[in-house]
Amino acid sequence: VLFRSNEGKAREWTLIAAENGHAEAQYEMGRMCLTGGGLPQDHAEAARWFHLAAEQGDPWAQCNLGTLYADGSGVPKDWGEALKCWHLAAEQGHLVSQFNLGQWYSDAQEFETAAQFYRQAAAQGHERAAQNLALLYQAGVASPPQTGP
């Protein structure tokens, strides 16, 4: 039996779950507000939902909230908050946040720290992280981790 998609009902139940503190539903509400997926696009509202989910430790919400802070989209631009959010997600193994931190530290010319985050993301298959890590090694501004005696 196939059922017709009912996005309106899906949004309604997602909102109910989000309002009742369900982190994944809060993240999903943030995503819908961010992209305009079935809701009016509203970055401030997206940030509000991401913040609620991020407080509960949702790594995707932490990553997206960090990006909103980095861009000043829906929230005041605040690199300190962006880094805090990305670090929280990266500590949970979130590869996009690890990549974002690699980029930020590379731009800040803190190449060893950038390499650390690029290595973490590359180990999970993030191709651009692997490419950027190779470029740091090629430029001689970061060194591969030492192995063996």
Side-chain angles (χ1 to χ4, degrees), residues 49-70:
W49 285 114
F50 287 148
H51 182 78
L52 291 170
E55 285 182 331
Q56 295 187 65
D58 185 286
W60 275 105
Q62 291 165 338
C63 180
N64 286 345
L65 183 59
T67 300
L68 290 176
Y69 276 117

Side-chain angles (χ1 to χ4, degrees), residues 90-115:
E91 288 169 7
Q92 297 180 69
H94 191 265
L95 75 130
V96 175
S97 293
Q98 292 165 342
F99 176 77
N100 290 347
L101 287 166
Q103 290 213 269
W104 190 88
Y105 283 109
S106 186
D107 289 346
Q109 298 188 349
E110 295 182 35
F111 299 117
E112 287 296 336
T113 303

Side-chain angles (χ1 to χ4, degrees), residues 5 7 36 65 76 79 129 142:
S5 173
E7 291 182 20
L65 183 59
W79 281 107

Side-chain angles (χ1 to χ4, degrees), residues 15-137:
L15 178 59
I16 289 169
E19 288 174 338
N20 282 294
H22 191 273
E24 288 180 38
Q26 291 168 338
Y27 165 77
E28 186 61 24
M29 289 300 299
R31 189 193 62 75
M32 287 190 283
C33 291
L34 182 66
T35 64
L39 295 173
Q41 192 172 31
D42 182 341
H43 290 187
E45 186 67 4
R48 184 179 79 80
W49 285 114
F50 287 148
H51 182 78
L52 291 170
E55 285 182 331
Q56 295 187 65
D58 185 286
W60 275 105
Q62 291 165 338
C63 180
N64 286 345
L65 183 59
T67 300
L68 290 176
Y69 276 117
D71 295 341
S73 183
V75 292
K77 188 171 192 148
D78 186 332
W79 281 107
E81 284 296 315
L83 291 170
K84 179 177 133 186
C85 291
W86 289 336
H87 273 282
L88 289 170
E91 288 169 7
Q92 297 180 69
H94 191 265
L95 75 130
V96 175
S97 293
Q98 292 165 342
F99 176 77
N100 290 347
L101 287 166
Q103 290 213 269
W104 190 88
Y105 283 109
S106 186
D107 289 346
Q109 298 188 349
E110 295 182 35
F111 299 117
E112 287 296 336
T113 303
Q116 171 191 339
F117 286 108
Y118 283 148
R119 272 193 293 274
Q120 292 172 9
Q124 296 185 69
H126 196 291
E127 292 179 14
R128 285 188 52 208
Q131 292 169 346
N132 289 357
L133 182 59
L135 291 172
L136 292 179
Y137 292 158

